[in-house]
Amino acid sequence: MSIDAETVKKVAFLSRLKIEDDKIETTKDEFNKIIKWVEQLNEANTDGVVPLVSVNDCQLQMRKDEVTDGNKAEQVLANAPMKEYGYFGVPKVVE
């Protein structure tokens, strides 16, 4: 697969990147290098390789799920600029 100048312009537009006209050719060459590198990765034999979720082989410590604090609605809302019916009030953004 090869990337041409029109594809570079389309990718730039879709990704909202501004690529100057004098940089299109350089960017095209860089894209083609990336594509070649990915094709090299596809050639690697990965049969029998277990997919990794993380490079660290450890378990996260689980904590007991218990309520440690609560019933402080008045204290939480004390500094709120707007509050209604015991909740934070926010300005209406959709008419």
Side-chain angles (χ1 to χ4, degrees), residues 4 7 25 27 29-30 37 39 41 43 46 69-70 84 88:
D4 60 355
T7 306
E25 200 63 31
T27 306
D29 294 340
E30 289 295 319
W37 181 71
E39 287 172 353
L41 289 176
E43 293 173 5
T46 58
D69 205 0
E84 293 181 17
F88 288 100

Side-chain angles (χ1 to χ4, degrees), residues 20-90:
E20 302 296 333
D21 289 338
D22 60 333
K23 301 287 183 185
I24 296 277
E25 200 63 31
T26 306
T27 306
K28 180 186 83 162
D29 294 340
E30 289 295 319
F31 281 0
N32 283 319
K33 287 179 186 177
I34 293 168
I35 296 291
K36 286 180 185 175
W37 181 71
V38 170
E39 287 172 353
Q40 285 179 349
L41 289 176
N42 286 335
E43 293 173 5
N45 183 6
T46 58
D47 294 340
V49 177
V50 180
L52 291 176
V53 175
S54 173
V55 294
N56 299 324
D57 190 26
C58 64
Q59 294 283 354
L60 294 176
Q61 295 292 325
M62 302 295 284
R63 65 172 172 79
K64 194 172 185 180
D65 191 16
E66 58 186 33
V67 177
T68 57
D69 205 0
N71 295 327
K72 294 186 177 185
E74 291 177 13
Q75 291 173 337
V76 170
L77 292 173
N79 292 323
M82 290 175 48
K83 49 192 165 209
E84 293 181 17
Y85 311 109
Y87 297 98
F88 288 100
V90 295

